[in-house]
Amino acid sequence: MTLVKAINNALDIKLNENKDVVIYGEDVGYEGGVFRVTQGLQEKYGAQRVFDSPLAESGIVGTAVGMAVAGMKPVIEMQFSGFAYPGFNHIISHVSRMRNRSRGKYTSSMVIRMPYGGGIKALEHHSESMEAIYGHIPGLKVVMPSTPHDAKGLLISAIESQDPVIYMEPKRIYRAVKQEVSEDKFNVQIGKANVVQQGKDVTVVSYGAMMRDTQKALALAKKAGISVELIDLRTIFPLDVDTIASSIKKTGRIVTVHEAPNSFGVASEINSIALEESFLHLEAPPKRVTGFDTIFPLPQGEHHYMPTPEKIYYEIEKTVKF
Amino acid sequence: MTLVKAINNALDIKLNENKDVVIYGEDVGYEGGVFRVTQGLQEKYGAQRVFDSPLAESGIVGTAVGMAVAGMKPVIEMQFSGFAYPGFNHIISHVSRMRNRSRGKYTSSMVIRMPYGGGIKALEHHSESMEAIYGHIPGLKVVMPSTPHDAKGLLISAIESQDPVIYMEPKRIYRAVKQEVSEDKFNVQIGKANVVQQGKDVTVVSYGAMMRDTQKALALAKKAGISVELIDLRTIFPLDVDTIASSIKKTGRIVTVHEAPNSFGVASEINSIALEESFLHLEAPPKRVTGFDTIFPLPQGEHHYMPTPEKIYYEIEKTVKF
Amino acid sequence: MFKEYDPLKNKLFSVMDKDGNITHEKWMPDITDEKSLQAYKNMMFARKADLMTVSYQRQGRIYTYPPNYGQEAIAGGIAQVLREDDWVVPAYRELGVWLAKGATLKEVFLYFMGYEDGSRFENAKHLLPVSVPIASQLLHATGIGYEIKYNQKDEVVYTFVGDGGTSEGDFHEALNFASVWKVPVVFVIQNNQYAISFNVKNQTSSRNLAVKAVAYGLKSIQVDGNDFFAMTKVAQEAAKLAREKQEPVLVEALTYRKGAHTTSDDPSKYRTKEEEQEWEEKDPMKRMKSYLASKELWDDKQEEELDAQYKKEVERQFEEAENYGEYPLEDVFKYHYDEMPDVLKKQLYAHEKYLKWKEGQ
Amino acid sequence: MFKEYDPLKNKLFSVMDKDGNITHEKWMPDITDEKSLQAYKNMMFARKADLMTVSYQRQGRIYTYPPNYGQEAIAGGIAQVLREDDWVVPAYRELGVWLAKGATLKEVFLYFMGYEDGSRFENAKHLLPVSVPIASQLLHATGIGYEIKYNQKDEVVYTFVGDGGTSEGDFHEALNFASVWKVPVVFVIQNNQYAISFNVKNQTSSRNLAVKAVAYGLKSIQVDGNDFFAMTKVAQEAAKLAREKQEPVLVEALTYRKGAHTTSDDPSKYRTKEEEQEWEEKDPMKRMKSYLASKELWDDKQEEELDAQYKKEVERQFEEAENYGEYPLEDVFKYHYDEMPDVLKKQLYAHEKYLKWKEGQ
Ligand SMILES: Cc1ncc(C[n+]2csc(CCOP(=O)(O)OP(=O)(O)O)c2C)c(N)n1
Ligand SMILES: Cc1ncc(C[n+]2csc(CCOP(=O)(O)OP(=O)(O)O)c2C)c(N)n1
Ligand SMILES: [Mg+2]
Ligand SMILES: [Mg+2]
């Protein structure tokens, strides 16, 4: 299964299981989405359950708040994460707050799917990776899968969760990775990181589409005789502090990789955790390998921006040699 | 001068000096703003230059982009930082990007003023402190003064800057602090932190309204014989890395204080800087004294949320004793 | 009615004049004297509570409060059609509607005293908490409308927004989604002439606010919101369209915010005594009282007695609220997620540890 | 004209029929044959460039491109009134307008090849770069309108949005601010029937899109956007209102996106051959050509020759763009701030260091 197929499969399973689930957004109905993620679902479940909405993101998120309050489970799509911002007010002012505001009487439990990230040679606003912003908003959960298996299991968990979940899809690898994934229903737990590979010299943390580049960097590291412990975060908030901290205790070194801008990004938070939880074990300064603090360039400049396997390896090596 | 007066004075000076400066927003014209920050300015400069706009934040920010492109210098107000979000799309998609998008042909140079922060026993959405979100957006500058003097000098610099500046006003201390401030024009540099007090045991970093509580904590520290170096950031982006790093090199310890949520907040970034720039000098884990990762509570719960001088002191002491 | 009072004609729908005389018998709603009287009493209670809240605020016993003073007839009319299963999606100035929906005054007090608990509304089904970000609640209403239609329920959503709120993009999107989805939502604009200090005349250049429904192909009407009977009639017709035809409707209720925007505002800065006097004459309570008096359903003495009784009731509920007690630290954390994540538990625990240390000092 | 074609009446303004016959002589714009012919040539150039760009894209020589194919007469009409000092605030499907404003095809190519440099528009005064977030540009136009009025300049802003864009809150806010501020902005809706796969019939329930101007008290008109003369007439009248009376105007130009949404879209999935055929008959170029031919201003041979010439010109500019060269690393950083802050300098420097290391490997 590709990642696109895995997401489609998860949606299919939940639509089938739970009549409260509805899917809507721009072009997600008849056409099945600009990336074909929702293909076939309107045909199967009808236009009351899978449908195109008018072109207005505040409208999409805002109406989903109402549906959720009334007991439905909307799974809405922002066509690209860069176009979620007209809906940002509802996300920060209501989606994240309805449960606390009403002292648990109502929830705004929904899933907001959005493809994120660069490397697809796209127009402006189609390449950003702004998960840290959502991670900073109390009341949300933020999930970012890196494999078809995780994409499916995490999405099923997100739809079943009673909490609002921002579900960011690594569109660069929508079709780049294939994996054996069961057609049956299964869950991957939100809030639990995945130790993809055990190692003893350095902990490397990443998530989403950058996991692939990071794994390529690990091949280089292996050649150089460096033993890497690789962690796939899977969830940005709440972060799996324990898994990160115990790995650092083992390796004494940590490198975090993401494509989002450096300042105030996820890697800063990981570094803070490293400090607070495992200060005495640190043998080298935690390292961030990230995008620059710049706007994601248009396609001709893209290669400058994206962290590459070589660059990740370079920083791993420096950290290990520190 | 109070802080409110200092801001008013800065606006007055720039309105007087530069015909391109206009001020608008909700209730800023005739009434002079809900906090009276713009009081008297419409009378003095006329309703073409200081005026009330329809109630729509996307409209306010979006039209300011157009004005700036056409060569004006809009200084717009978001009535509370919690109500800036309907305008968020323009901030992240245009204000921060117009210069880069047009390769310098056009700028979106403007000042977006917004009172932020808690401790005023207010309704929901009136107490937040979300500077980290703006700090993470490439292309913006983010300024947060803590004294009337700085408020005036930084605002003048912001208005004179060719870059878009998010100017967050510590409303809790709008009238709480008085200071001798010259009526003449002067600048305080954006991007330069202020070493308020020299010390050798620990570096304490804060900004905005929390500077006051931090200074109260320092009185407790002094009694306990702890020598604190106190840094007022003044600017959240770009951070003054050098000042922070050289202080840590001196003290070996750092505590960062802010009222914003902990995860993915400014303190995480400071900690990352501490690691990257002064790892070998660190003698204790950098500490964050911040708000919780929760929604700011309604007034009856407010005292639980805000870091107090005692709590700041408690963490300073623990850090020094580490 | 919607045709005759097509907002393109700029005609205000009213039934009763300033002195309580019925001027448009034809539009008199189907309502018994008994119900009219009860409605008046409810409006009296709302006004009493409102005025007393403002004075509690002045005494420092409550935080910011946005008075409903002068706007009572709007809730009064809506209350006539509101069913238990119907939804109410308010902004923040909806005291009358909250009470009509079953919220207790005590809960309202708790909320404005600064307890989230006040938003629980234990006995009010389908009432949403206060929504502060202007106009955003309209989209929630449209979403609830979708659920009603989806599950083929017999419910209507009533949602409220101010005149200022019509300028927000969310107003546009909410009405547009409702028009496309054809959902049973009654959108009520409480046009009280001001958005804080900003007069509605400057908010837009449309001839009135009701006419904005043309942009969505919806029916709408501009009604005298200080005229209980006109409001009731409009509520009845709008509810019928929504309930029976799943047709969203836009109602612009003309009224006046007699009080301040909130208790931290001073309207004398931006409006004239003359204007206030002009609207004083159109006061909804005065008009309704004249009507009832002319029908000998009500007199000053009864009013005085009920007023005294209501005063006690408000005091009673206020005191209950005032004695609500501590806001536990845990409540800051408890309601964010279905299960509290470790990171919140840790922060809570660390804070408790600090509090212990502090006690020890 | 605006009265006679009040959008409340749902009447489409047109001058010329499908076969290029003038059906409404009364509304024929004031334009010489020479200018009409030149306009046709410009539209031909735009179409040629558009079609060739799509095939370049298929060859992998350019990235995503949103075709303007079929919508040429809208720009054609606006171009008749556009002055050097006027502003153009486009979305992303405005090839004809970009060219009319003085952007070179090479710049357009550069942009869609992925160079920000393409947005510099060296010879185009007052032309804004592509704006991707739907409808947001309308507010920029309103803001520029404020500047024009503030500085009492003799300028007009032309801004463009799609049919889908009318659903966004920003559409509402931009028109409302413009109506309150009374600024010289002409808002043009290019109603090409689709927002990607979504038909305009489902975007809203209003009778047409022009009628939405009622909500702001503005004049508006629905015009056949495939009719060059109708578009020109409307552009002239709208420009006059904007320029002379500072009156914002809303123009809904009915057209059809003959191509795909962008080069990564396949419209055969969501629309029928019949529909495409129906619109094929209303093709703006075909109609204009028939008109010119009937006046013996143009024939097939001339068309063929010019087509060949334009082909060469497009190729020339494309090749120039293709040879534009490297995108320097520094350019990623350079244009963010007036002065590059230390944090960016450090990141640039660190990356250069890494690149040196890599070379050494
Ligand atoms: C999005 C947003 N912007 C600004 C505010 C601040 N604010 C609170 S009430 C108000 C005026 C609202 O006026 P109106 O819609 O007429 O309602 P009214 O208060 O008169 O009932 C403003 C600007 C807010 N709450 N939300
Ligand atoms: C705010 C925002 N949401 C979504 C998108 C993705 N998107 C790009 S074009 C488009 C459809 C636009 O349709 P329309 O306004 O009719 O313009 P057209 O493409 O037909 O010219 C969408 C949804 C976007 N660019 N911006
Ligand atoms: Mg109002
Ligand atoms: Mg379209």
Side-chain angles (χ1 to χ4, degrees):
Chain A
M1 253 183 221
T2 60
L3 218 138
V4 158
K5 179 75 192 98
I7 295 171
N8 182 283
N9 185 224
L11 295 171
D12 193 355
I13 289 170
K14 291 310 300 176
L15 279 164
N16 188 50
E17 235 183 57
N18 181 355
K19 197 185 133 296
D20 292 332
V21 174
V22 289
I23 293 177
Y24 64 105
E26 293 151 13
D27 305 289
V28 301
Y30 189 78
E31 191 182 40
V34 293
F35 289 106
R36 307 286 178 267
V37 172
T38 51
Q39 198 159 34
L41 299 175
Q42 182 177 80
E43 227 174 316
K44 197 159 167 189
Y45 297 100
Q48 292 304 307
R49 300 193 59 199
V50 181
F51 54 100
D52 296 321
S53 73
L55 205 180
E57 293 74 14
S58 192
I60 295 169
V61 184
T63 53
V65 171
M67 291 185 199
V69 161
M72 295 179 77
K73 171 59 91 170
V75 180
I76 54 177
E77 176 179 300
M78 303 281 101
Q79 199 160 80
F80 287 84
S81 65
F83 304 133
Y85 304 118
F88 193 72
N89 185 39
H90 281 276
I91 295 176
I92 192 167
S93 301
H94 296 297
V95 176
S96 64
R97 287 167 172 265
M98 191 55 84
R99 178 191 287 271
N100 184 62
R101 179 184 298 151
S102 68
R103 284 306 191 228
K105 184 171 180 178
Y106 299 116
T107 75
S108 238
S109 130
M110 67 176 73
V111 180
I112 307 183
R113 297 179 36 243
M114 44 174 97
Y116 85 90
I120 60 157
K121 302 275 187 198
L123 293 176
E124 205 186 343
H125 311 288
H126 291 73
S127 303
E128 284 68 22
S129 184
M130 287 280 123
E131 60 278 7
I133 286 180
Y134 298 108
H136 191 53
I137 300 174
L140 299 178
K141 290 186 170 174
V142 184
V143 168
M144 296 176 83
S146 74
T147 65
H149 170 271
D150 286 5
K152 177 172 171 180
L154 285 165
L155 182 51
I156 288 176
S157 296
I159 298 176
E160 291 176 353
S161 163
Q162 295 306 305
D163 302 317
V165 178
I166 307 288
Y167 182 88
M168 299 179 77
E169 302 176 1
K171 64 172 172 295
R172 175 154 62 103
I173 53 169
Y174 261 160
R175 294 188 162 78
V177 216
K178 276 204 179 176
Q179 198 182 13
E180 285 282 324
V181 178
S182 158
E183 294 276 348
D184 297 340
K185 182 179 145 180
F186 62 87
N187 293 71
V188 172
Q189 194 189 328
I190 294 174
K192 192 88 202 76
N194 183 20
V195 181
V196 178
Q197 173 183 308
Q198 305 265 350
K200 56 186 182 27
D201 296 335
V202 57
T203 299
V204 175
V205 172
S206 191
Y207 54 91
M210 285 310 295
M211 276 301 292
R212 286 206 39 180
D213 308 88
T214 304
Q215 274 166 312
K216 286 183 192 153
L218 261 53
L220 301 175
K222 196 172 175 188
K223 266 196 227 153
I226 300 171
S227 163
V228 176
E229 176 135 321
L230 176 63
I231 298 178
D232 179 354
L233 284 181
R234 282 178 171 163
T235 301
I236 302 306
F237 190 89
L239 275 171
D240 184 354
V241 173
D242 291 345
T243 298
I244 301 165
S246 39
S247 180
I248 299 174
K249 277 174 195 152
K250 191 158 95 178
T251 64
R253 291 171 157 86
I254 178 164
V255 173
T256 304
V257 182
H258 62 61
E259 56 185 278
N262 190 63
S263 290
F264 305 95
V266 170
S268 305
E269 184 59 30
I270 301 280
N271 287 356
S272 264
I273 288 170
L275 280 168
E276 285 165 1
E277 305 284 331
S278 31
F279 180 71
L280 295 174
H281 302 269
L282 280 180
E283 287 160 39
K287 183 70 205 170
R288 307 184 263 184
V289 188
T290 67
F292 309 126
D293 286 352
T294 68
I295 292 154
F296 198 98
L298 288 189
Q300 299 287 345
E302 188 172 277
H303 65 291
H304 295 310
Y305 188 93
M306 296 291 287
T308 56
E310 293 74 31
K311 191 169 179 187
I312 299 167
Y313 168 70
Y314 164 76
E315 297 292 0
I316 290 174
E317 192 198 86
K318 282 208 303 184
T319 300
V320 170
K321 287 192 182 155
F322 181 84
Chain B
M1 249 181 225
T2 60
L3 219 138
V4 159
K5 180 76 192 97
I7 296 171
N8 182 284
N9 185 225
L11 295 171
D12 193 355
I13 289 171
K14 290 311 299 176
L15 279 164
N16 189 48
E17 235 183 57
N18 180 356
K19 196 187 133 296
D20 292 332
V21 174
V22 290
I23 292 177
Y24 63 105
E26 293 151 14
D27 305 288
V28 301
Y30 189 78
E31 190 182 40
V34 292
F35 289 107
R36 307 288 175 266
V37 172
T38 52
Q39 199 160 36
L41 298 175
Q42 181 176 83
E43 226 173 317
K44 197 159 168 189
Y45 297 99
Q48 292 304 306
R49 300 194 59 201
V50 182
F51 54 98
D52 295 320
S53 73
L55 205 180
E57 292 75 14
S58 191
I60 296 169
V61 184
T63 53
V65 171
M67 290 186 199
V69 160
M72 295 179 77
K73 172 59 92 171
V75 181
I76 54 177
E77 177 178 300
M78 304 280 101
Q79 198 160 81
F80 287 83
S81 65
F83 303 134
Y85 304 118
F88 193 72
N89 185 39
H90 281 275
I91 295 175
I92 191 167
S93 302
H94 296 298
V95 175
S96 64
R97 287 168 171 264
M98 190 55 83
R99 178 191 286 271
N100 183 62
R101 178 184 299 152
S102 69
R103 284 307 192 223
K105 183 171 179 179
Y106 298 117
T107 74
S108 239
S109 129
M110 66 176 73
V111 180
I112 307 182
R113 295 178 38 242
M114 45 174 96
Y116 85 90
I120 61 157
K121 302 275 187 198
L123 293 176
E124 204 187 343
H125 312 286
H126 290 74
S127 303
E128 284 68 21
S129 185
M130 289 279 121
E131 58 278 7
I133 286 181
Y134 298 108
H136 191 55
I137 300 174
L140 299 177
K141 290 187 170 172
V142 185
V143 167
M144 296 175 85
S146 74
T147 66
H149 171 271
D150 287 4
K152 176 172 172 180
L154 284 166
L155 183 52
I156 289 176
S157 296
I159 299 175
E160 292 177 352
S161 163
Q162 296 305 305
D163 302 316
V165 178
I166 308 288
Y167 183 88
M168 300 179 76
E169 303 176 359
K171 64 174 170 299
R172 178 154 59 105
I173 55 169
Y174 262 159
R175 295 188 162 76
V177 215
K178 276 202 179 179
Q179 198 181 13
E180 284 282 324
V181 179
S182 159
E183 294 276 349
D184 297 340
K185 183 180 146 179
F186 62 86
N187 292 71
V188 171
Q189 194 190 328
I190 293 174
K192 192 87 201 76
N194 183 21
V195 181
V196 179
Q197 173 184 307
Q198 307 264 350
K200 55 184 182 26
D201 297 335
V202 57
T203 300
V204 175
V205 172
S206 191
Y207 54 91
M210 285 310 295
M211 277 300 291
R212 286 208 26 177
D213 308 87
T214 304
Q215 275 165 313
K216 286 183 193 153
L218 261 52
L220 301 174
K222 197 172 173 188
K223 264 198 229 153
I226 301 171
S227 164
V228 176
E229 177 135 319
L230 177 62
I231 299 178
D232 179 354
L233 284 182
R234 282 178 172 162
T235 302
I236 301 306
F237 190 92
L239 275 172
D240 184 353
V241 173
D242 291 345
T243 299
I244 300 164
S246 41
S247 180
I248 299 174
K249 277 174 197 154
K250 193 160 93 180
T251 63
R253 291 172 157 86
I254 178 164
V255 173
T256 305
V257 183
H258 61 62
E259 56 185 277
N262 191 61
S263 290
F264 306 94
V266 169
S268 305
E269 185 60 29
I270 302 281
N271 287 356
S272 264
I273 289 170
L275 279 169
E276 286 165 0
E277 306 283 332
S278 31
F279 180 71
L280 295 175
H281 302 268
L282 280 180
E283 287 160 38
K287 183 70 205 169
R288 306 185 262 184
V289 189
T290 68
F292 308 126
D293 286 351
T294 66
I295 292 154
F296 199 97
L298 289 189
Q300 299 287 345
E302 189 171 277
H303 65 290
H304 294 309
Y305 189 93
M306 296 290 287
T308 55
E310 293 75 31
K311 189 168 180 189
I312 299 166
Y313 169 70
Y314 164 76
E315 297 291 0
I316 291 175
E317 191 198 86
K318 281 208 302 185
T319 301
V320 170
K321 287 192 180 155
F322 182 85
Chain C
M1 189 185 84
F2 288 100
K3 240 190 202 141
E4 195 168 329
Y5 287 88
D6 184 338
L8 284 162
K9 300 185 200 158
N10 221 3
K11 253 171 80 181
L12 181 70
F13 181 83
S14 72
V15 173
M16 171 167 70
D17 73 9
K18 283 194 299 186
D19 304 312
N21 306 310
I22 301 303
T23 52
H24 295 73
E25 194 63 57
K26 150 179 182 199
W27 299 121
M28 191 64 184
D30 188 19
I31 186 172
T32 61
D33 282 350
E34 202 188 331
K35 280 208 166 167
S36 295
L37 183 58
Q38 187 53 50
Y40 179 72
K41 290 180 183 171
N42 294 346
M43 285 156 60
M44 255 187 78
F45 183 68
R47 175 166 290 193
K48 190 75 199 168
D50 199 83
L51 294 174
M52 286 176 69
T53 307
V54 172
S55 65
Y56 289 134
Q57 197 280 337
R58 294 230 176 87
Q59 296 161 25
R61 296 165 74 187
I62 201 167
Y63 297 112
T64 327
Y65 171 75
N68 189 248
Y69 184 36
Q71 308 182 201
E72 294 86 353
I74 296 169
I78 297 293
Q80 300 312 310
V81 295
L82 201 54
R83 300 190 189 164
E84 199 199 339
D85 283 341
D86 289 342
W87 289 82
V88 165
V89 183
Y92 46 80
R93 198 185 296 288
E94 267 73 62
L95 179 60
V97 188
W98 297 330
L99 296 174
K101 191 64 192 149
T104 63
L105 200 50
K106 176 184 164 189
E107 288 170 314
V108 176
F109 285 139
L110 283 178
Y111 179 77
F112 289 108
M113 281 174 178
Y115 294 97
E116 284 86 353
D117 289 356
S119 291
R120 259 203 197 110
F121 301 133
E122 305 281 3
N123 304 312
K125 196 175 166 190
H126 292 175
L127 170 60
L128 260 70
V130 161
S131 175
V132 178
I134 302 294
S136 59
Q137 68 279 3
L138 303 179
L139 278 163
H140 308 165
T142 298
I144 294 172
Y146 192 90
E147 189 273 341
I148 293 172
K149 194 172 176 181
Y150 182 78
N151 287 319
Q152 301 181 12
K153 293 180 173 168
D154 181 28
E155 298 172 3
V156 170
V157 188
Y158 299 91
T159 186
F160 298 84
V161 69
D163 44 300
T166 63
S167 290
E168 290 278 6
D170 275 4
F171 173 82
H172 177 69
E173 299 190 15
L175 285 163
N176 194 46
F177 273 66
S179 85
V180 170
W181 289 352
K182 303 248 174 302
V183 288
V185 182
V186 178
F187 295 92
V188 181
I189 303 171
Q190 299 214 39
N191 179 355
N192 63 7
Q193 312 301 317
Y194 285 91
I196 310 186
S197 69
F198 195 54
N199 194 289
V200 65
K201 286 192 207 91
N202 305 314
Q203 224 24 283
T204 183
S205 300
S206 67
R207 58 195 91 178
N208 53 56
L209 301 178
V211 80
K212 289 177 188 283
V214 170
Y216 320 101
L218 298 182
K219 292 208 178 73
S220 67
I221 194 162
Q222 193 190 41
V223 52
D224 182 346
N226 284 3
D227 173 345
F228 168 77
F229 293 114
M231 264 313 299
T232 300
K233 181 67 182 172
V234 165
Q236 288 173 346
E237 296 299 316
K240 199 188 284 176
L241 278 174
R243 195 178 295 280
E244 292 170 12
K245 302 202 180 157
Q246 312 271 305
E247 230 185 281
V249 186
L250 177 65
V251 175
E252 177 191 1
L254 267 191
T255 183
Y256 194 71
R257 196 195 72 209
K258 290 181 73 172
H261 169 67
T262 64
T263 41
S264 39
D265 171 52
D266 172 10
S268 75
K269 291 226 166 95
Y270 52 80
R271 62 190 198 191
T272 61
K273 280 266 164 297
E274 292 71 47
E275 183 187 284
E276 290 181 4
Q277 188 47 45
E278 199 182 294
W279 280 94
E280 185 60 45
E281 285 163 27
K282 296 188 244 175
D283 181 85
M285 301 302 293
K286 198 189 66 114
R287 285 159 75 177
M288 180 81 172
K289 191 175 159 193
S290 301
Y291 170 85
L292 294 170
S294 75
K295 292 200 92 181
E296 301 192 353
L297 294 164
W298 195 245
D299 61 30
D300 282 342
K301 195 166 151 278
Q302 285 170 301
E303 173 118 352
E304 232 167 80
E305 275 170 28
L306 193 64
D307 186 77
Q309 188 188 319
Y310 282 169
K311 179 162 184 279
K312 275 198 197 129
E313 178 58 17
V314 173
E315 277 167 355
R316 189 186 65 76
Q317 296 205 44
F318 188 80
E319 272 158 36
E320 267 193 54
E322 231 176 8
N323 293 317
Y324 190 67
E326 280 288 290
Y327 185 119
L329 171 62
E330 210 200 339
D331 279 15
V332 175
F333 293 84
K334 211 159 87 178
Y335 299 98
H336 282 67
Y337 298 94
D338 191 32
E339 265 182 70
M340 201 189 293
D342 283 348
V343 52
L344 291 195
K345 281 189 199 151
K346 269 190 202 168
Q347 291 176 8
L348 172 56
Y349 175 74
H351 195 68
E352 281 169 342
K353 219 170 122 185
Y354 151 69
L355 289 174
K356 268 195 209 114
W357 169 87
K358 195 179 145 198
E359 259 172 43
Q361 289 298 89
Chain D
M1 189 184 84
F2 288 100
K3 243 194 198 138
E4 197 169 328
Y5 287 88
D6 184 337
L8 283 163
K9 300 185 201 158
N10 219 3
K11 252 170 79 179
L12 181 70
F13 181 82
S14 73
V15 174
M16 172 167 69
D17 72 9
K18 281 195 298 185
D19 304 313
N21 306 309
I22 302 303
T23 51
H24 294 73
E25 195 63 58
K26 150 179 183 201
W27 299 121
M28 191 64 185
D30 188 18
I31 185 172
T32 62
D33 282 351
E34 203 188 330
K35 281 210 164 162
S36 294
L37 183 58
Q38 187 53 50
Y40 179 73
K41 291 180 182 171
N42 294 345
M43 285 156 60
M44 254 187 78
F45 184 68
R47 175 167 290 193
K48 189 75 198 167
D50 198 83
L51 293 174
M52 286 176 70
T53 307
V54 172
S55 63
Y56 289 134
Q57 197 280 335
R58 293 231 176 86
Q59 297 161 27
R61 296 165 74 188
I62 201 167
Y63 298 112
T64 326
Y65 172 74
N68 189 248
Y69 184 37
Q71 306 182 205
E72 294 86 353
I74 296 169
I78 297 292
Q80 300 312 309
V81 295
L82 201 53
R83 299 189 190 166
E84 199 197 339
D85 283 341
D86 288 344
W87 288 82
V88 165
V89 183
Y92 47 79
R93 198 186 295 289
E94 267 72 63
L95 179 60
V97 187
W98 297 331
L99 297 173
K101 190 64 194 152
T104 64
L105 201 48
K106 176 183 163 188
E107 287 169 316
V108 176
F109 286 140
L110 283 178
Y111 179 78
F112 288 109
M113 282 174 177
Y115 294 98
E116 284 86 353
D117 289 357
S119 291
R120 260 203 196 107
F121 301 134
E122 305 280 1
N123 303 312
K125 198 176 165 189
H126 291 175
L127 171 59
L128 261 69
V130 161
S131 176
V132 178
I134 302 294
S136 58
Q137 69 278 3
L138 303 178
L139 279 162
H140 308 164
T142 298
I144 293 171
Y146 191 90
E147 189 273 341
I148 293 171
K149 194 171 178 183
Y150 182 78
N151 287 318
Q152 301 180 11
K153 292 180 175 169
D154 181 26
E155 298 172 3
V156 170
V157 188
Y158 299 92
T159 187
F160 297 84
V161 69
D163 43 300
T166 62
S167 291
E168 290 277 7
D170 275 5
F171 173 83
H172 177 71
E173 298 189 16
L175 285 162
N176 194 46
F177 273 65
S179 87
V180 171
W181 289 352
K182 302 246 173 303
V183 289
V185 182
V186 178
F187 295 92
V188 182
I189 304 170
Q190 298 214 39
N191 179 355
N192 63 6
Q193 314 301 318
Y194 286 91
I196 310 187
S197 69
F198 195 54
N199 194 288
V200 65
K201 287 191 207 94
N202 305 314
Q203 269 307 340
T204 182
S205 301
S206 67
R207 58 194 93 179
N208 53 56
L209 301 178
V211 80
K212 290 177 187 283
V214 170
Y216 319 102
L218 298 182
K219 292 207 178 73
S220 67
I221 194 163
Q222 193 191 40
V223 51
D224 183 345
N226 285 3
D227 174 345
F228 168 76
F229 294 114
M231 264 314 298
T232 301
K233 181 67 182 172
V234 165
Q236 288 172 348
E237 297 299 316
K240 200 188 284 176
L241 280 174
R243 196 177 295 280
E244 292 169 12
K245 300 202 182 158
Q246 311 272 305
E247 230 186 279
V249 186
L250 177 65
V251 175
E252 177 192 0
L254 265 190
T255 185
Y256 194 71
R257 196 196 72 208
K258 289 182 73 172
H261 168 67
T262 65
T263 43
S264 38
D265 171 53
D266 172 10
S268 75
K269 291 228 168 92
Y270 51 81
R271 63 190 196 190
T272 60
K273 281 265 164 295
E274 292 69 49
E275 183 187 281
E276 291 183 1
Q277 189 46 44
E278 199 181 296
W279 280 94
E280 185 60 46
E281 285 163 25
K282 294 189 244 175
D283 181 86
M285 301 303 293
K286 199 191 66 125
R287 285 160 74 176
M288 181 80 171
K289 192 176 159 195
S290 301
Y291 171 85
L292 294 170
S294 76
K295 292 200 92 182
E296 301 192 352
L297 294 165
W298 195 244
D299 60 29
D300 281 343
K301 195 164 150 283
Q302 286 170 302
E303 173 117 353
E304 232 168 78
E305 276 171 29
L306 193 65
D307 186 77
Q309 189 188 317
Y310 282 170
K311 179 162 184 279
K312 275 197 198 131
E313 178 58 16
V314 174
E315 277 167 356
R316 189 186 66 73
Q317 296 206 42
F318 188 80
E319 272 158 35
E320 269 193 29
E322 230 178 9
N323 293 317
Y324 190 68
E326 279 289 289
Y327 185 119
L329 171 62
E330 209 198 340
D331 280 15
V332 175
F333 294 84
K334 212 159 87 178
Y335 300 98
H336 282 67
Y337 298 95
D338 192 32
E339 265 182 70
M340 202 188 293
D342 284 348
V343 52
L344 292 195
K345 282 188 197 148
K346 268 190 201 166
Q347 290 176 6
L348 173 56
Y349 175 74
H351 194 69
E352 282 168 343
K353 221 172 121 186
Y354 151 70
L355 290 174
K356 268 195 208 113
W357 169 87
K358 195 179 145 198
E359 259 170 45
Q361 287 300 89

